[in-house]
């Protein structure tokens, strides 16, 4: 039973659960990006190039009979979009952290020694 309880403690740690959620969300985001490329970018931006090559899908772009460079181009476009979105997310997080760090902390209360020195200073000012 010791190994089962150890595994349960490991599998249910916050980091493991967070990682699993991140992977699931990443897979869903990957599907969104793939759909964006196939259903939006390809028809709008690449349609003239595909029509010039007498093709209907970017996946049909082939050279030397078996090198499917259309799939490679699609993967590169997917990567660039994902990288850009992640850049924006990280930039937003860094900006939020920077704002949080910029909030100045309240100055510390004066020590007893400083209070005594201020009283002496004030007494000397009043004397003059």
């Amino acid at each position: 039973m010791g190994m089962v309880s150890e595994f349960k403690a490991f599998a249910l740690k916050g980091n493991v659960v967070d990682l699993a959620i991140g992977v699931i969300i990443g897979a869903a985001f990957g599907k969104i990006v793939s759909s964006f490329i196939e259903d939006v970018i390809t028809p709008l931006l690449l349609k003239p190039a595909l029509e010039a090559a007498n093709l209907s899908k970017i996946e049909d772009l082939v050279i030397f009979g078996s090198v499917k460079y259309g799939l490679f181009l699609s993967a590169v476009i997917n990567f660039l979009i994902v990288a850009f979105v992640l850049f924006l997310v990280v930039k937003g997080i860094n900006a939020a952290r920077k704002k949080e760090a910029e909030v100045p902390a309240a100055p510390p209360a004066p020590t007893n020694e400083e209070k005594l020195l201020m009283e002496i200073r004030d007494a000397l000012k009043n004397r003059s």
Side-chain angles (χ1 to χ4, degrees), residues 99-116:
K99 277 187 179 179
E100 188 177 293
E102 287 178 358
V103 175
T111 63
N112 289 336
E113 185 178 318
E114 290 172 334
K115 288 179 187 176
L116 181 61

Side-chain angles (χ1 to χ4, degrees), residues 78-96:
N78 283 347
F79 170 77
L80 291 174
I81 291 172
V82 169
F84 181 70
V85 168
L86 289 176
F87 167 75
L88 293 177
V89 168
V90 170
K91 186 174 179 171
I93 290 171
N94 288 341

Side-chain angles (χ1 to χ4, degrees), residues 28-41:
F29 184 70
K31 289 180 183 178
I32 291 170
V33 170
S34 295
S35 175
F36 181 67
I37 296 302
E38 294 168 6
D39 302 330
V40 178
I41 298 293

